[in-house]
Amino acid sequence: AVVSTQSTGKASLLEGLRDEEKEPEELLNVLFTEIFCIEPLLSFRDGQSNEITRVNLCQILLDRDPQSNTTMPNTQDLLTRYFVTNNLYFNSQPELLLLQVPRSGKDFKLYDTVLPSTTLQLGGLCGGVWGSCYVCDRKPTYKCSKCYLNQDFRSTYSAVPFCSACCKVVHSHPNRADHTPEQATNPAKQGLKMTLSAVLCIHTSHYVAYCRVPIRPSTPPTQSTVDSPPANPYCWVFFDSMADRHGGQAGYNIPIVEECPQLEEWLHNPSRLLHERDQTPDYVKRLISDALLCFYVRDRE
């Protein structure tokens, strides 16, 4: 991006921006609000008061789930649990979602590893529901967020869908007497999806990035390649702006960009990540151990 002299002059007036270590969200907020002067990227709606909050990135603030023994949660589960716990919804689907995974300070991490989900389903987080009744597969007419937090129900989304009959039976159980099922509204939003585009990682104050980039064909396109495009026209690359240095303190940094073969296949297979750590490539280990910010873009396919 090109920033005008006037804009950079404005940035230099912001106290501590250049001479103090800042968290990524602080720098991003300065860029969005003070440099680019854009409207907030995200708007959240409180499910109880309907109050709207507008922010540039979503910080997932959670305690460890006492009902779960997972050592590597994924961002879909973390985001959904954060929204359900705080009774939040997206007021509208974002074009760009910056998701900060749970951390506490610069040194402590809530989880040793976090798996960036390659796609996020936002239908329920915008108020919609999906598919069929959890019990009988009929069309859902109710949804229950508290059932999502109950480990008896392994729903992928932010609320467990039920038909009227099953909802009544399930919530007749004494353990679910405090649940308050809602009518399943906005079913047209069930297909809302976002795709992982980049991940910013941090380790000992050193930032690196993983980016999903389109593959440039080595030869000019032909009619056959136009008619039958590759199954996955993207690849993942690793970027480190300070991978090496020339000239000591007075010198300069040497960046690197490296391809990460099969990264997406590893991200699609969490069981393999957990049980084959010795065979897991270092670039995959670094991604799930040091992930801080996940960048998602709206899927329009």
Side-chain angles (χ1 to χ4, degrees):
V2 178
V3 181
S4 68
T5 305
Q6 182 179 359
S7 295
T8 53
K10 187 175 183 179
S12 66
L13 298 176
L14 300 175
E15 184 178 358
L17 183 62
R18 292 183 173 179
D19 56 1
E20 296 178 11
E21 184 175 349
K22 294 293 183 182
E23 294 291 342
E25 63 270 17
E26 295 179 279
L27 176 59
L28 288 171
N29 279 323
V30 168
L31 286 174
F32 292 146
T33 60
E34 303 293 341
I35 306 298
F36 300 128
C37 300
I38 63 173
E39 293 295 320
L41 299 172
L42 308 173
S43 63
F44 301 147
R45 174 173 58 85
D46 187 290
Q48 183 172 358
S49 67
N50 282 326
E51 180 181 353
I52 304 299
T53 302
R54 292 179 170 83
V55 294
N56 284 314
L57 75 160
C58 177
Q59 293 179 273
I60 300 179
L61 304 175
L62 283 173
D63 294 324
R64 290 186 73 106
D65 185 357
Q67 300 187 62
S68 174
N69 58 3
T70 182
T71 58
M72 188 178 65
N74 61 56
T75 51
Q76 173 78 67
D77 289 343
L78 291 171
L79 177 65
T80 303
R81 188 159 65 88
Y82 172 65
F83 269 57
V84 172
T85 303
N86 293 279
N87 197 13
L88 292 176
Y89 294 94
F90 283 106
N91 192 46
S92 60
Q93 186 187 14
E95 297 291 330
L96 172 65
L97 172 59
L98 277 63
L99 195 64
Q100 183 171 341
V101 302
R103 298 177 75 100
S104 296
K106 299 174 182 176
D107 301 317
F108 176 75
K109 294 188 293 185
L110 188 66
Y111 294 97
D112 289 335
T113 54
V114 172
L115 179 67
S117 303
T118 54
T119 59
L120 290 179
Q121 297 286 350
L122 297 191
L125 304 184
C126 295
V129 295
W130 311 263
S132 55
C133 172
Y134 184 88
V135 179
C136 70
D137 287 337
R138 284 184 289 195
K139 181 179 179 180
T141 52
Y142 287 89
K143 62 180 180 178
C144 182
S145 297
K146 285 197 173 181
C147 279
Y148 167 81
L149 297 175
N150 189 322
Q151 293 298 304
D152 292 338
F153 299 91
R154 305 307 302 172
S155 176
T156 307
Y157 306 109
S158 63
V160 182
F162 299 104
C163 69
S164 298
C166 292
C167 185
K168 185 176 181 180
V169 172
V170 167
H171 291 95
S172 65
H173 194 285
N175 289 348
R176 292 182 281 276
D178 62 334
H179 292 200
T180 52
E182 303 173 274
Q183 285 193 325
T185 57
N186 302 324
K189 294 183 178 179
Q190 59 184 328
L192 300 183
K193 187 171 71 171
M194 303 198 78
T195 300
L196 184 66
S197 177
V199 180
L200 180 68
C201 297
I202 180 174
H203 183 70
T204 60
S205 299
H206 180 64
Y207 292 94
V208 298
Y210 293 80
C211 302
R212 182 175 180 261
V213 298
I215 297 174
R216 179 179 296 178
S218 56
T219 58
T222 63
Q223 188 59 46
S224 61
T225 58
V226 171
D227 294 338
S228 302
N232 185 7
Y234 295 90
C235 69
W236 281 88
V237 297
F238 170 79
F239 171 66
D240 185 350
S241 64
M242 299 186 296
D244 201 354
R245 189 166 182 84
H246 177 77
Q249 187 173 359
Y252 54 87
N253 295 320
I254 301 174
I256 63 166
V257 176
E258 296 178 335
E259 185 176 355
C260 302
Q262 299 184 325
L263 174 60
E264 194 148 335
E265 287 82 353
W266 280 96
L267 296 181
H268 281 146
N269 197 338
S271 176
R272 187 181 179 193
L273 283 171
L274 289 172
H275 298 105
E276 298 182 17
R277 294 301 298 269
D278 292 341
Q279 286 77 41
T280 304
D282 289 341
Y283 61 81
V284 179
K285 293 179 182 178
R286 187 170 187 176
L287 173 63
I288 63 176
S289 297
D290 298 339
L292 174 64
L293 276 175
C294 297
F295 295 71
Y296 288 89
V297 295
R298 185 168 182 173
D299 190 338
R300 297 188 176 277
E301 295 180 1

